[in-house]
Amino acid sequence: MQLYSIPTGNFKLDGGAMFGVVPKSIWNKLNPADEQNMCSWAMRCMLIEDGNRLILIDNGIGDKQDAKFMGHYYLHGDDTLESSLRKHGFHKDDITDVVLTHLHFDHCGGSIERKNDKLVPAFPNAVYWSNEAHWKWATEPNAREKASFLKENILPIQESGQLKFIPTPDAEKGRLAESIFTEHISFRFVSGHTESMMLPQIKYNGRTIVFVADLLPSTAHIPLPYVMAYDTRPLLTLEEKKIFLDEAAAKEFILFFEHDVQNECCTLIQTEKGIRAGESFFLRNC
């Protein structure tokens, strides 16, 4: 089994939206904003080579949206999905499974591409994995999230026949729900950010690595009150973070960050102020 970090480029989002009720005088020291109050964030995916399966977790924003749409997010950086796969000797045709933590455009936009004015799967040989609860949430969106669920990113997946759903078990008291995917991979489900977001949990080299998606966009979001304004149920996020962080610290999980520009992975430490980021390092050093 081998894990690869797959950066797909950076984008910018409003700093206030990313840090919620935390004042700018505090968060600006963590991720300094530009003159328009925008901060840079990564769109970092993960590739898992597991036997004869090549599993890609999320796939960035893609490139099929028009210039007006892309202009809102100030894309920057030299990395693309294709170049990052190529760096490790892979092509999109090699991918056997695409796991979508959730269907916001910056996580699933690379799923579908335009070819001859048609929208087709970018990974023609892959099964695309979501879950039924989140799929319904995304395809029948509420007004608050509608702008993040772009139908051109989502509906062609189902139309292709390549979509499958992962079961979503009920949460047991005192911990997050989990679902087994492979011998080495399971999923946790959280619903504070959006309904039934999946957090892949990977057993690797005797450790547990968790792809924390938008439960924890960056190391700066580890303190409990640091909850994004984008979250649909912020108090639920707060509860889910506490449950997860308590377990992650106790069991010495490694966290893999999708949106942290500076930090790919980190451990956790217990401090007098609560759980905080410990050592930071690259995935290749796990």
Side-chain angles (χ1 to χ4, degrees), residues 65-136:
Q65 303 301 329
D66 61 25
K68 181 179 180 181
F69 177 88
M70 294 298 195
H72 294 307
Y73 301 103
Y74 305 91
L75 302 187
H76 57 287
D78 298 326
D79 295 312
T80 66
L81 175 62
E82 291 82 357
S83 67
S84 293
L85 288 173
R86 189 166 56 247
K87 176 182 177 182
H88 298 295
F90 300 113
H91 185 273
K92 288 190 291 186
D93 291 357
D94 300 324
I95 305 300
T96 63
D97 301 84
V98 176
V99 170
L100 301 169
T101 61
H102 61 299
L103 295 166
H104 288 167
F105 66 84
D106 54 314
H107 296 257
C108 76
S111 297
I112 299 297
E113 61 187 13
R114 290 188 190 277
K115 283 190 177 179
N116 300 322
D117 294 326
K118 292 184 178 181
L119 294 172
V120 299
F123 307 94
N125 301 313
V127 174
Y128 286 74
W129 296 95
S130 182
N131 67 77
E132 195 167 3
H134 183 67
W135 188 268
K136 179 177 174 60

Side-chain angles (χ1 to χ4, degrees), residues 114-233:
R114 290 188 190 277
K115 283 190 177 179
N116 300 322
D117 294 326
K118 292 184 178 181
L119 294 172
V120 299
F123 307 94
N125 301 313
V127 174
Y128 286 74
W129 296 95
S130 182
N131 67 77
E132 195 167 3
H134 183 67
W135 188 268
K136 179 177 174 60
W137 185 268
T139 55
E140 302 173 15
N142 60 75
R144 193 167 186 268
E145 279 185 281
K146 188 174 182 179
S148 293
F149 291 130
L150 306 182
K151 60 183 180 179
E152 60 267 33
N153 286 339
I154 301 171
L155 298 183
I157 301 174
Q158 189 170 46
E159 292 164 0
S160 74
Q162 294 172 231
L163 175 66
K164 288 188 177 181
F165 291 140
I166 293 167
T168 51
D170 293 332
E172 296 178 11
K173 186 176 181 180
R175 70 177 185 89
L176 307 184
E178 294 182 35
S179 183
I180 303 300
F181 185 58
T182 71
E183 179 185 357
H184 305 290
I185 304 169
S186 61
F187 295 106
R188 293 168 174 263
F189 295 84
V190 291
S191 294
H193 178 61
T194 188
E195 177 66 30
S196 297
M197 180 171 66
M198 302 192 296
L199 307 183
Q201 181 170 291
I202 305 117
K203 297 177 183 177
Y204 183 68
N205 287 346
R207 299 291 296 274
T208 297
I209 300 174
V210 183
F211 188 107
V212 289
D214 280 350
L215 177 67
L216 297 167
S218 72
T219 55
H221 289 84
I222 291 174
L224 291 179
Y226 289 60
V227 173
M228 292 186 290
Y230 296 115
D231 286 20
T232 59
R233 306 178 181 107

